[in-house]
Amino acid sequence: MQALTLIHSTSFPIERYAEGLLRASISPRALDNLDQLTSDNGSLRVILVDSAINGGTRAMGPRTAIVGIGLSEQPKWLTDDSIYFDLQGNPSPSSLLNAVKRAYQFLYQKMRADQLERQLSDRTRELRDLGEVGIALSAERDHSALLTTILGKARELSRSDSGSLYLLDEADGQPVLRWKLAQSDSIDVVSFEEKILPITRRSLAGYVALTGETLVIDDAYRLPEGAEYTINRSFDEENGYLTKSMLVFPMTNHVGEIIGVLQLINRKRVVAPGRLTAATVPQEVVSFDRETVELMRSLAGQAAVAVENNLLYESIERLFEGFVTAAVTAIEQRDPTTSGHSFRVADLTVELAKIVDGIDQGPYREIRFTTDQVREIRYASLLHDFGKVGVREQVLVKQKKLYPMQLDTIRGRFEFVMKSVESESNRLKLDFLLQHGRDRYDEFSARVDRETAEQMERLQKDFAIIAQSNEPTVLPEGDFQYLQQLAKRDYADVHGERRALVLPEEARILSIRKGNLDATERNEIESHVTHTFHFLQKIPWTKDLVSVPDIAYAHHEKLNGRGYPRKLTASDIPIQSRMMTVSDIYDALTAADRPYKRAVPTERALDILKMEVGEGLLDHSLVDVFIDAKVYEHAGVLRT
């Protein structure tokens, strides 16, 4: 049996592996420089090359194998015929021993055995990489990122210098190729813009899209005689490039339909430089072999399924987005005065979330929102008022403290009383004429007219006070004692019965100090939060949107427990809901489309937010961020 020698650097910890080497009858030998190697004298040897060993400019010979330990790249002095294995730094004894044994096996089997083993290793790696690519493609939701991954992985697995990706589409009712993406290691394609190309047999991609064939081209400038397709040589001329080997193949879905085309250009040698030029292409570019073609076909199948799934996911998202938009629009059409409120709240809350995500100080410096979480916040904000579908329309659209019919009833009473005053004035004048004739009539008539005018002016002022009291206010204000006095005044109806000029119930409603709703109506309005939660709970949300109902449910809660409907306190209110609360209040204050209240300018609205912070209602840090970052400007909701 031939002697087996393992050569290593003097600093390599060979004693760690001594027991295994002894059992395998392998003799270790240390040296500092590979240039000290003498002829192998017919024996088989394996050299462990780590960062501590020097030299290596001399040819190692056909009976020498190299095992790299913890190297970032293969030694540059290796030749194409070298037998080389690579291990991570500090390998386990079993890993090292297995590597050395495999090296000797390769040496025993000479070049043919080594070639077959390398091919098997390559296929295993490619299949593993292909499986990993499939997993990556199935997990990617962003369409642009998916296409970038597909082309990038195809180039990586095939060692292609450049590549393009096309998808079949329609334009003006005609099928076209949409050139979606271009990548290259050697040419700057940053400025690439998507293009629409006609499907024709004259182009490589068009030919593949029409025929479904795979084109394997060894030399793009020497196409097969009679080929219908050509290449665009102007591209090479403009960029100082040379297109040589090409692989153009279809992306076919599970039912055999072609949905796109992948085009790979210039397959590099294993040790080729990163960038190619027209001068280096002939030496550094090889043809696409059969194994690579089969691997790319497998990848294309996975890519086609991933693209279709991704497009289906996008269509489902668009469908749901349309449903949400339709639902919000339907609710706001019940109350046109709040049109756009939900969309503005969504814009404000999403913008605030993005700002919070980027801050590096304060209590929320560690808060980060993923893309899915931001989308969750947006949907919760859009649908936060959907429960208003369960609120009576007359309450929902109520503009003043009194309903129009109630105010008309009071107006009718005042008009009746004013007519009564006029009638009484005329009666007095007529009685005077009948009793006294024209003697001193003018003086009496003038006096009656003055008294009548005073009564009429008083009634008009009283009704003006009622009309003014009927206007809602943003903040608590108003002294309504005079209304209580009006409620004690009466008048005689047509039957002579005494009736209240203003009913106690009407005076109570007119005396509402803030807003336009009484307690019963406010409870009904506040119930919309619970209705919203129950509605959103019935939607089978995906895992990434599962918190939408809970976020919307808490948007009217306050930190000190004075919110509704559950009277939650700070620790139970999620930050997403806290952000929405700030946005909701800001828009409600500044919105100019609500006739039941006066819109306030942004500065006044911000002062009110600060005031509510002082009362323990709102999150101090979030309001500060909202104001300091001018979220309302970024979201386009600035009121002057």
Side-chain angles (χ1 to χ4, degrees):
M1 181 177 178
Q2 289 184 318
L4 306 180
T5 305
L6 181 65
I7 299 173
H8 58 88
S9 67
T10 55
S11 61
F12 185 79
I14 195 66
E15 61 276 4
R16 180 185 176 192
Y17 310 97
E19 182 179 348
L21 296 175
L22 180 63
R23 286 199 303 268
S25 300
I26 299 174
S27 301
R29 182 162 66 92
L31 51 77
D32 293 319
N33 196 307
L34 293 179
D35 292 333
Q36 299 172 358
L37 283 174
T38 58
S39 173
D40 54 33
N41 295 323
S43 63
L44 304 180
R45 61 188 180 186
V46 174
I47 302 176
L48 300 182
V49 177
D50 58 15
S51 58
I53 202 163
N54 298 313
T57 58
R58 300 171 55 185
M60 296 298 166
R63 295 178 177 270
T64 300
I66 309 298
V67 175
I69 305 294
L71 301 181
S72 59
E73 60 181 6
Q74 293 183 4
K76 297 187 182 304
W77 40 262
L78 292 178
T79 68
D80 290 341
D81 295 330
S82 297
I83 298 173
Y84 178 79
F85 293 85
D86 188 54
L87 288 177
Q88 295 181 349
N90 192 30
S92 65
S94 60
S95 297
L96 180 67
L97 189 59
N98 287 339
V100 171
K101 286 182 177 180
R102 288 184 64 196
Y104 282 127
Q105 290 171 0
F106 273 89
L107 291 172
Y108 276 125
Q109 296 171 4
K110 300 283 174 43
M111 296 301 296
R112 179 57 181 167
D114 177 53
Q115 180 183 19
L116 293 175
E117 189 66 26
R118 272 206 314 267
Q119 289 177 348
L120 177 60
S121 176
D122 289 343
R123 296 293 82 75
T124 301
R125 176 184 55 80
E126 289 168 353
L127 289 175
R128 183 183 66 250
D129 291 345
L130 189 62
E132 293 175 354
V133 169
I135 294 172
L137 296 183
S138 63
E140 183 59 67
R141 292 182 179 176
D142 183 271
H143 190 62
S144 297
L146 173 65
L147 299 183
T148 300
T149 301
I150 289 172
L151 184 55
K153 290 298 184 180
R155 291 178 53 238
E156 177 185 335
L157 294 178
S158 64
R159 301 201 309 272
S160 297
D161 183 64
S162 303
S164 298
L165 187 149
Y166 308 82
L167 292 182
L168 268 69
D169 202 351
E170 281 194 3
D172 299 326
Q174 297 296 321
V176 295
L177 272 178
R178 193 175 291 275
W179 189 2
K180 298 289 292 185
L181 192 63
Q183 295 177 354
S184 178
D185 292 334
S186 303
I187 302 173
D188 182 13
V189 292
V190 174
S191 59
F192 171 81
E193 295 182 359
E194 182 178 308
K195 299 178 179 65
I196 294 179
L197 307 175
I199 299 181
T200 169
R201 288 175 178 263
R202 293 289 294 167
S203 70
L204 295 172
Y207 182 86
V208 170
L210 287 171
T211 64
E213 296 181 16
T214 295
L215 298 179
V216 183
I217 301 172
D218 295 335
D219 190 339
Y221 284 78
R222 295 180 181 178
L223 296 176
E225 187 175 348
E228 299 180 66
Y229 45 82
T230 60
I231 70 163
N232 183 5
R233 299 192 179 194
S234 62
F235 179 82
D236 285 358
E237 295 168 357
E238 293 172 1
N239 294 281
Y241 195 65
L242 177 63
T243 299
K244 186 170 173 57
S245 63
M246 298 185 70
L247 175 60
V248 191
F249 51 100
M251 295 167 57
T252 307
N253 65 15
H254 65 287
V255 294
E257 298 172 339
I258 297 174
I259 68 165
V261 175
L262 277 167
Q263 178 174 282
L264 302 177
I265 300 173
N266 286 346
R267 184 173 191 244
K268 298 178 182 178
R269 295 171 58 246
V270 175
V271 293
R275 297 178 67 90
L276 300 178
T277 64
T280 61
V281 163
Q283 295 79 35
E284 304 296 347
V285 170
V286 297
S287 299
F288 290 90
D289 56 26
R290 181 176 59 82
E291 290 80 5
T292 301
V293 172
E294 292 302 319
L295 184 66
M296 290 300 100
R297 283 176 176 166
S298 297
L299 184 144
Q302 291 185 346
V305 172
V307 168
E308 282 211 323
N309 288 342
N310 187 266
L311 292 175
L312 177 60
Y313 181 83
E314 283 195 342
S315 69
I316 293 173
E317 276 200 324
R318 286 194 300 271
L319 177 65
F320 185 72
E321 185 77 19
F323 162 74
V324 171
T325 301
V328 173
T329 303
I331 290 302
E332 294 190 342
Q333 282 181 344
R334 289 193 71 214
D335 183 8
T337 60
T338 61
S339 177
H341 168 70
S342 295
F343 295 101
R344 293 192 297 269
V345 170
D347 291 341
L348 287 165
T349 309
V350 166
E351 188 62 34
L352 179 55
K354 291 178 180 178
I355 299 295
V356 170
D357 180 74
I359 61 178
D360 55 5
Q361 55 187 355
Y364 296 126
R365 61 185 177 275
E366 297 182 359
I367 293 293
R368 294 294 179 266
F369 296 113
T370 65
T371 300
D372 286 339
Q373 287 174 319
V374 172
R375 194 157 57 98
E376 188 176 55
I377 291 170
R378 179 172 177 272
Y379 282 139
S381 300
L382 284 172
L383 294 167
H384 75 283
D385 276 346
F386 190 84
K388 288 182 177 178
V389 70
V391 178
R392 287 179 300 154
E393 189 163 349
Q394 67 175 25
V395 176
L396 189 64
V397 302
K398 188 181 182 185
Q399 299 180 3
K400 310 292 184 182
K401 296 179 182 179
L402 294 171
Y403 292 105
M405 184 176 295
Q406 291 175 307
L407 185 62
D408 288 343
T409 299
I410 297 175
R411 181 184 289 108
R413 295 194 201 109
F414 272 80
E415 290 175 350
F416 177 82
V417 172
M418 286 189 282
K419 286 294 183 182
S420 298
V421 170
E422 289 180 357
S423 297
E424 180 65 16
S425 172
N426 292 331
R427 187 189 64 78
L428 290 173
K429 292 177 182 180
L430 180 59
D431 287 347
F432 186 91
L433 285 172
L434 291 174
Q435 294 178 17
H436 305 288
R438 298 291 302 176
D439 184 29
R440 301 183 67 183
Y441 172 76
D442 290 341
E443 179 184 347
F444 178 79
S445 176
R447 180 166 55 82
V448 170
D449 286 344
R450 285 194 304 272
E451 293 174 352
T452 299
E454 290 174 359
Q455 292 183 65
M456 297 292 281
E457 182 180 4
R458 179 184 176 187
L459 287 168
Q460 289 172 349
K461 287 182 177 179
D462 288 346
F463 187 77
I465 291 175
I466 289 173
Q468 179 61 36
S469 299
N470 194 38
E471 295 294 326
T473 58
V474 174
L475 297 176
E477 60 182 57
D479 182 359
F480 303 105
Q481 291 184 357
Y482 189 71
L483 284 174
Q484 304 307 318
Q485 296 177 16
L486 283 177
K488 297 177 182 179
R489 288 170 53 185
D490 60 9
Y491 70 97
D493 65 11
V494 293
H495 302 294
E497 296 182 5
R498 305 305 296 181
R499 297 190 179 276
L501 183 60
V502 177
L503 300 178
E505 176 67 8
E506 295 166 341
R508 181 187 67 81
I509 294 174
L510 288 168
S511 299
I512 295 173
R513 298 191 64 228
K514 178 182 178 182
N516 66 326
L517 302 175
D518 66 11
T520 300
E521 293 166 334
R522 183 162 297 282
N523 287 337
E524 185 171 352
I525 284 290
E526 291 178 356
S527 71
H528 83 274
V529 180
T530 302
H531 293 320
T532 294
F533 178 70
H534 290 159
F535 165 75
L536 295 179
Q537 267 196 322
K538 296 183 183 300
I539 298 176
W541 298 98
T542 53
K543 184 178 180 181
D544 52 313
L545 298 174
V546 71
S547 295
V548 167
D550 292 322
I551 295 172
Y553 200 13
H555 80 276
H556 273 299
E557 302 290 351
K558 299 298 189 293
L559 303 189
N560 59 5
R562 289 167 53 190
Y564 63 87
R566 293 174 291 166
K567 308 296 183 184
L568 300 181
T569 54
S571 60
D572 297 318
I573 304 174
I575 184 175
Q576 297 93 325
S577 303
R578 298 186 187 196
M579 293 188 297
M580 194 197 307
T581 301
V582 175
S583 302
D584 191 33
I585 293 175
Y586 172 84
D587 187 71
L589 290 170
T590 60
D593 50 13
R594 301 188 182 190
Y596 56 80
K597 70 166 188 64
R598 298 187 301 272
V600 301
T602 290
E603 287 303 318
R604 178 59 177 148
L606 299 182
D607 288 340
I608 293 174
L609 289 177
K610 293 176 183 177
M611 182 182 70
E612 296 208 351
V613 166
E615 294 176 359
L617 301 174
L618 300 181
D619 188 305
H620 181 279
S621 298
L622 290 179
V623 171
D624 283 348
V625 172
F626 186 89
I627 296 173
D628 295 342
K630 296 185 177 180
V631 169
Y632 42 89
E633 288 187 4
H634 293 293
V637 192
L638 176 65
R639 307 297 183 191
T640 57

